[in-house]
Amino acid sequence: MTSEVASAAASGANATARFQNDKSPYEAVKDVPKERADKLARRVLEAVHATIREENVTYAEYNALKAWLIQVGLDGEWPLFLDVWVEHVVEEVATSDRQGNKGTIEGPYYVPNSPVISDEKGVGTVPMREGEGGTPLTWTGTVTAVDGTALSDAKVEIWHADDDGFYSQFAPNLPEWNLRGTNHVGPDGSFEIHTVQPAPYQIPTDGACGALIEAAGWHAWRPAHIHVKVSAPGYQLLTAQLYFPGDAHNDDDIASAVKPELLLAPQQQADGSATVAYSFVLDPEA
Ligand code: MBD
Ligand code: FE
């Protein structure tokens, strides 16, 4: 991060670099059968062709699209664009047969290998600055399998924006691992995570994705959310986000990633903090 002010191009560049560091999705489809590549590419193109015919798309509109697509790349915003407007359907298809917890999209701002924060009982506090803004939140829960077994070797990775809506490693002037941590659950599968409630999040508006939002008269908001990845050997990785009741954008998330099962029910405490219980149930690997 070189610039001192958060910018779409800087956070986009970081998200692009982070994704390119992880070549595994690309490696995994290297030997995709020609028939599959042919079919998928053709269907996407046919959907574009149909839109052009049915909407009588003009050369001016075609050239605007070309310029905009180039700008998405220059701003490094392909991860943002895809995760906001496409990933939710991939997630829906990928997880439709699960019996355990509902999940939702990963989004562009996950970083693997966050510091371990838990003690031997699964109690820990995410890294945060002195006087970190936002309501302090104590979150308790357990990780179990669909058959009820407590998963004592599970881990809960958590990451979220700060009270200003910024993610560490994607916005300037934040400690590297701010509000990111890995909790190894206790012997009974339980965890207790101390953090602060994040603010609603506005995707960067000064880049190509913002230009689309502006041109189309959309809004750029996601409701406040806490991201998690819950994993245990022999079980399917659960990627989810948890939301707060009453958020103005729970019903019109720009990323279409809210599900009723993912709403928290925090209890406000007399000292101004909040407590919340939310547990995870994992499906075994197929
Ligand atoms: C986010 O924080 C996010 O979670 C998603 C899905 C897209 C953009 C920013
Ligand atoms: Fe997010």
Side-chain angles (χ1 to χ4, degrees):
M1 207 68 209
T2 48
S3 87
E4 293 295 20
V5 177
S7 73
S11 78
N14 290 0
T16 297
R18 211 279 300 155
F19 188 79
Q20 286 179 318
N21 277 343
D22 177 10
K23 287 287 193 320
S24 55
Y26 181 67
E27 294 296 324
V29 295
K30 255 192 159 166
D31 299 321
V32 63
K34 285 223 166 8
E35 302 72 49
R36 179 79 174 161
D38 170 48
K39 184 179 192 182
L40 296 184
R42 199 132 47 89
R43 286 207 58 179
V44 170
L45 290 170
E46 283 168 1
V48 173
H49 302 160
T51 304
I52 295 167
R53 288 198 182 96
E54 289 163 24
E55 300 294 338
N56 291 306
V57 169
T58 66
Y59 256 101
E61 289 167 334
Y62 172 68
N63 284 325
L65 172 68
K66 215 188 229 181
W68 182 79
L69 289 169
I70 291 167
Q71 196 62 42
V72 175
L74 292 174
D75 289 341
E77 284 200 333
W78 281 114
L80 182 66
F81 172 78
L82 288 165
D83 295 350
V84 166
W85 284 296
V86 180
E87 189 187 356
H88 67 99
V89 189
V90 179
E91 192 276 338
E92 174 190 314
V93 169
T95 64
S96 61
D97 59 352
R98 291 205 186 179
Q99 324 224 286
N101 262 84
K102 283 282 182 212
T104 191
I105 64 175
E106 174 176 318
Y109 300 145
Y110 170 65
V111 182
N113 306 313
S114 62
V116 173
I117 59 171
S118 44
D119 67 13
E120 65 287 344
K121 288 183 170 156
V123 179
T125 300
V126 301
M128 63 177 85
R129 292 163 291 180
E130 184 97 7
E132 186 75 45
T135 302
L137 182 69
T138 298
W139 168 21
T140 54
T142 57
V143 183
T144 55
V146 284
D147 67 4
T149 312
L151 297 177
S152 58
D153 49 4
K155 70 180 184 191
V156 179
E157 293 172 82
I158 173 173
W159 73 103
H160 61 81
D162 66 16
D163 194 42
D164 296 317
F166 291 115
Y167 284 87
S168 59
Q169 302 188 38
F170 298 91
N173 304 322
L174 291 170
E176 186 178 18
W177 294 103
N178 207 52
L179 304 177
R180 297 175 181 275
T182 298
N183 187 298
H184 292 272
V185 302
D188 58 354
S190 71
F191 61 86
E192 177 179 317
I193 296 174
H194 296 260
T195 188
V196 292
Q197 284 187 205
Y201 177 84
Q202 191 175 28
I203 72 163
T205 53
D206 57 322
C209 290
L212 171 61
I213 288 169
E214 166 92 31
W218 300 341
H219 71 75
W221 291 95
R222 299 213 60 222
H225 56 279
I226 293 177
H227 292 268
V228 284
K229 278 184 185 283
V230 185
S231 55
Y235 291 84
Q236 294 182 47
L237 171 67
L238 172 68
T239 300
Q241 300 178 31
L242 302 170
Y243 303 94
F244 296 87
D247 192 296
H249 295 289
N250 282 340
D251 295 324
D252 68 347
D253 176 13
I254 184 72
S256 309
V258 180
K259 301 177 187 182
E261 297 87 344
L262 299 173
L263 276 179
L264 296 169
Q267 316 255 314
Q268 305 308 318
Q269 304 299 309
D271 66 356
S273 69
T275 60
V276 71
Y278 192 95
S279 291
F280 298 106
V281 178
L282 300 187
D283 284 73
E285 263 164 12

